[in-house]
Amino acid sequence: MKIQDSVFVVTGAGNGIGRCVALELLSRGGRVAAADLSDTGLADLAAEAAAGSRLSTHVLNVADSAAVAELPAQVVAAHGQVDGLFNIAGIAQNFESAAGIPEARMQQILDVNFYGTVGLTRAFLPLLEARPEGGVVMVTASLAAMVPVPGAATYGASKAAVAAFAYGLKQDLRNAKSKVTVTTVLPGTIWTDLVRESAQTLGTPEIVAKAFAMRAEKAAHRMIETTLKGRGRVVIGKDAHVYDVLGRLSTNLAERMSYLQVASFVYRDR
């Protein structure tokens, strides 16, 4: 799919990877409907992009099913069509144990990371199916969907669930001979404000954390390129590639390495 003049919905566009995806699509001549919970983040995006009518901004809580249901009509009103959906909005877990995380927080993580992504995909699918050449859908999973990370059981479960949804949707569309493609992205450590805050929580020096992370701009570019090519599964980042390979060789080895890498920070006060 070409980017020029195509319309892409990008969630989580107010910061981090989502913002980088929106900016690159706009810089390459695309039209973007940027959705985010933060109106300030969206305003900053609009100011930086200076894209005029090629950018519309939509304050959205992806966990609000009624608001999600209204978004497709808003995007069509602003741009006339929809060619692609980049599901990037998500929230992390604050390194809580599986038994210790508050139930309300657990529900919030699932509502945003799983149900929000599923709801948006289902809402936009009819518009993507209506395109003669078909549309594209990208779903953001995580390294935590491939290997258990200490202190992130609920987050990992939400990302594993959304990955399984995307894989299953791809099968459904294949059976229906649909031209819509679904790309599941499994990023490792990407340098964003969220990762910076996690490093501070763990007590990891920023220079060390940053050395292991991929730049958000680079991750965004890879997300865009692989999604437009219709790739089914994409692993992004050095650490994610390492765990992907280890997991294929031995799940026990991958789990042990994850524990050794993170556990001493997560469980030090327990």
Side-chain angles (χ1 to χ4, degrees), residues 188-210:
T189 306
I190 310 299
W191 191 248
T192 61
D193 289 340
L194 184 63
V195 171
R196 180 184 288 107
E197 292 169 4
S198 295
Q200 291 172 348
T201 300
L202 292 174
T204 305
E206 183 172 313
I207 190 171
V208 174
K210 197 170 184 179

Side-chain angles (χ1 to χ4, degrees), residues 159-260:
K159 290 299 187 178
V162 82
F165 167 78
Y167 299 147
L169 176 61
K170 185 176 177 65
Q171 297 285 51
D172 293 342
L173 295 174
R174 176 185 286 120
N175 182 66
K177 296 181 172 53
S178 171
K179 293 183 179 180
V180 175
T181 61
V182 182
T183 299
T184 304
V185 176
L186 298 109
T189 306
I190 310 299
W191 191 248
T192 61
D193 289 340
L194 184 63
V195 171
R196 180 184 288 107
E197 292 169 4
S198 295
Q200 291 172 348
T201 300
L202 292 174
T204 305
E206 183 172 313
I207 190 171
V208 174
K210 197 170 184 179
F212 283 93
M214 176 182 281
R215 291 188 303 110
E217 294 84 358
K218 185 175 181 179
H221 178 73
R222 182 153 170 73
M223 286 179 169
I224 292 169
E225 290 299 306
T226 53
T227 297
L228 296 184
K229 291 176 182 176
R231 290 274 302 277
R233 180 181 184 272
V234 182
V235 177
I236 296 178
K238 296 177 184 176
D239 53 350
H241 278 287
V242 168
Y243 280 109
D244 190 37
V245 172
L246 283 178
R248 295 171 191 271
L249 295 174
S250 168
T251 55
N252 287 335
L253 179 59
E255 291 172 8
R256 183 64 177 169
M257 184 170 178
S258 175
Y259 180 84
L260 291 174

Side-chain angles (χ1 to χ4, degrees), residues 23-48:
L23 287 171
E24 179 169 338
L25 290 171
L26 289 166
S27 71
R28 295 169 64 177
R31 303 177 68 87
V32 172
D36 197 279
L37 186 61
S38 170
D39 55 353
T40 301
L42 291 173
D44 290 344
L45 169 67
E48 182 176 355

Side-chain angles (χ1 to χ4, degrees), residues 63-88:
D64 183 340
S65 58
V68 166
E70 293 173 357
L71 185 61
Q74 295 171 6
V75 175
V76 171
H79 301 284
Q81 64 191 57
V82 179
D83 300 290
L85 169 63
F86 286 83
N87 286 297
I88 303 174

